[in-house]
Amino acid sequence: MDRRRLLRTGLVVGGGLVATTVSTGTAVHAQASDGTGPEERPATPDQAWARLREGNRRWVAGSPTHPHQDAARRAEVAEKQDPFAVVFSCIDSRVPPELVFDAGLGDLFVLRTAGQTIDPLITGSAEYGPAELGTPLFVVLGHQRCGAVTAAAESLHDHKKLPGKLSTIASSLRSAYKRSGGDIDKMIRINTIDVVKQLKKDELFAPRIAKGQLKVIGAYYSIDSGEVTRLV
């Protein structure tokens, strides 16, 4: 089975099997959130970011529309998917991307790890949307009061190894810890920017970025206000 055929049948992300199909390149049309007419999938990185910002503004205002969360949408995307953005965020239960950006079924690829730390397996999953489906935007989303980053900082400060595989998280965040001077919020932002820089150098991302087909950006989510602000 070749790589593209494998990707048609499924993709392993975070220990679960996510069914998927390869897009034909045709834009997906969905009902607008106000029900007035068709809404075209954002085709460019800037259009995709504008759509995410619009959804986040609704979330902050306490007036989400919960688009694409009904049986009609489920039927529409049953045979193929064409998400307009990838969001790579922390596993924190208070930071679900679909809620933060008031998005719905088939709108986003979502990757989540503790402190949005990255390794080759996660990078492989990250490549899928832009490389195989032409998803135009990749957002690395850090957040306020990240528990994983806090635990890593405390471990590094006290020279005490975290139990089990948690120690690998601290190791991944060591550089950000040193450059932050131990400031947790600064460490979160530094790590987010570091991941963005790493992804921009990815062999599948770099050519798309150069052609303007893809943007990889870093953002920060305030748990207090619900607002997402762009870092880089």
Side-chain angles (χ1 to χ4, degrees):
M1 183 180 293
D2 63 27
R3 183 172 64 91
R4 287 185 176 273
R5 185 178 175 190
L6 176 63
L7 289 169
R8 288 190 183 96
T9 59
L11 175 67
V12 176
V13 178
L17 183 65
V18 180
T20 184
T21 59
V22 172
S23 169
T24 61
T26 303
V28 171
H29 293 271
Q31 193 70 16
S33 58
D34 60 3
T36 58
E39 182 181 78
E40 187 172 307
R41 169 193 183 269
T44 69
D46 289 343
Q47 289 172 357
W49 178 236
R51 179 73 60 82
L52 290 181
R53 290 188 65 194
E54 179 185 350
N56 181 243
R57 282 193 290 267
R58 295 194 299 268
W59 170 253
V60 171
S63 56
T65 59
H66 308 292
H68 299 162
Q69 296 181 26
D70 56 14
R73 178 62 169 178
R74 185 175 69 235
E76 180 184 7
V77 299
E79 295 300 326
K80 67 176 182 179
Q81 62 172 334
D82 201 11
F84 67 86
V86 182
V87 179
F88 179 28
S89 70
C90 180
I91 62 170
D92 194 297
S93 62
R94 301 165 294 178
V95 194
E98 290 89 349
L99 295 184
V100 168
F101 292 111
D102 193 25
L105 193 66
D107 290 332
L108 305 176
F109 281 117
V110 175
L111 294 166
R112 304 184 70 176
T113 65
Q116 68 275 359
T117 49
I118 195 165
D119 64 14
L121 178 60
I122 297 301
T123 300
S125 298
E127 290 174 339
Y128 178 73
E132 295 297 324
L133 299 186
T135 307
L137 181 67
F138 194 110
V139 180
V140 181
L141 185 65
H143 71 92
Q144 182 184 26
R145 290 194 290 275
C146 179
V149 174
T150 301
E154 291 175 351
S155 169
L156 293 166
H157 178 270
D158 298 336
H159 303 287
K160 292 183 179 179
K161 186 177 180 180
L162 292 171
K165 300 300 183 182
L166 291 173
S167 60
T168 61
I169 298 171
S171 296
S172 295
L173 294 169
R174 186 182 301 277
S175 176
Y177 169 75
K178 290 181 178 179
R179 285 177 286 147
S180 71
D183 183 300
I184 301 298
D185 201 65
K186 187 175 180 181
M187 184 175 169
I188 292 165
R189 294 167 187 267
I190 289 173
N191 176 60
T192 300
I193 294 171
D194 283 350
V195 174
V196 169
K197 289 179 178 177
Q198 182 175 338
L199 288 170
K200 283 183 174 180
K201 296 176 183 177
D202 181 80
E203 62 180 342
L204 298 186
F205 283 8
R208 289 166 173 79
I209 293 171
K211 295 175 183 177
Q213 298 169 344
L214 172 67
K215 279 189 178 179
V216 180
I217 68 174
Y220 178 90
Y221 176 68
S222 168
I223 288 178
D224 290 337
S225 69
E227 184 178 10
V228 173
T229 53
R230 185 167 171 178
L231 296 178
V232 61

